[in-house]
Amino acid sequence: YVGDTLLNISEVTIRPGAEIAAWTVQQLEERLDLSVVSYFKEGSTRLHPASNRPLEAGGRMLVLANLETLQRLEALNTTSRF
């Protein structure tokens, strides 16, 4: 808990075609009010990745957020349907 808010750490793999696959770390953090703790892609791990780091399909990240925010993130991490 931080104050009255229960925070969770969750590992998320960015799916191909997901809306967030075109975002940066900063966009994700600002739009969803969460923290990206680390980002893994192609054998490289970045703790507290740079805000301008692009999020790419197949990348994995650890995020710190409340449950409601994690649910919103999951909804944005689905393959776009056209």
Side-chain angles (χ1 to χ4, degrees):
Y1 282 92
V2 174
D4 292 334
T5 304
L6 175 62
L7 295 178
N8 300 274
I9 292 183
S10 183
E11 181 177 344
V12 177
T13 300
I14 302 168
R15 295 183 181 121
E19 183 176 347
I20 63 170
W23 293 6
T24 63
V25 168
Q26 180 177 6
Q27 288 171 307
L28 184 69
E29 290 180 332
E30 289 178 354
R31 292 180 187 184
L32 294 183
D33 192 26
L34 57 74
S35 293
V36 177
V37 178
S38 64
Y39 184 81
F40 313 92
K41 179 72 176 171
E42 298 173 352
S44 176
T45 301
R46 297 282 184 240
L47 293 176
H48 307 288
S51 61
N52 65 346
R53 173 75 165 104
L55 302 176
E56 302 174 60
R60 292 181 299 134
M61 57 187 167
L62 289 179
V63 298
L64 180 66
N66 64 36
L67 288 176
E68 180 182 312
T69 299
L70 291 175
Q71 290 170 341
R72 290 175 39 219
L73 175 57
E74 180 62 25
L76 292 168
N77 192 30
T78 57
T79 302
S80 300
R81 297 188 194 335
F82 293 98

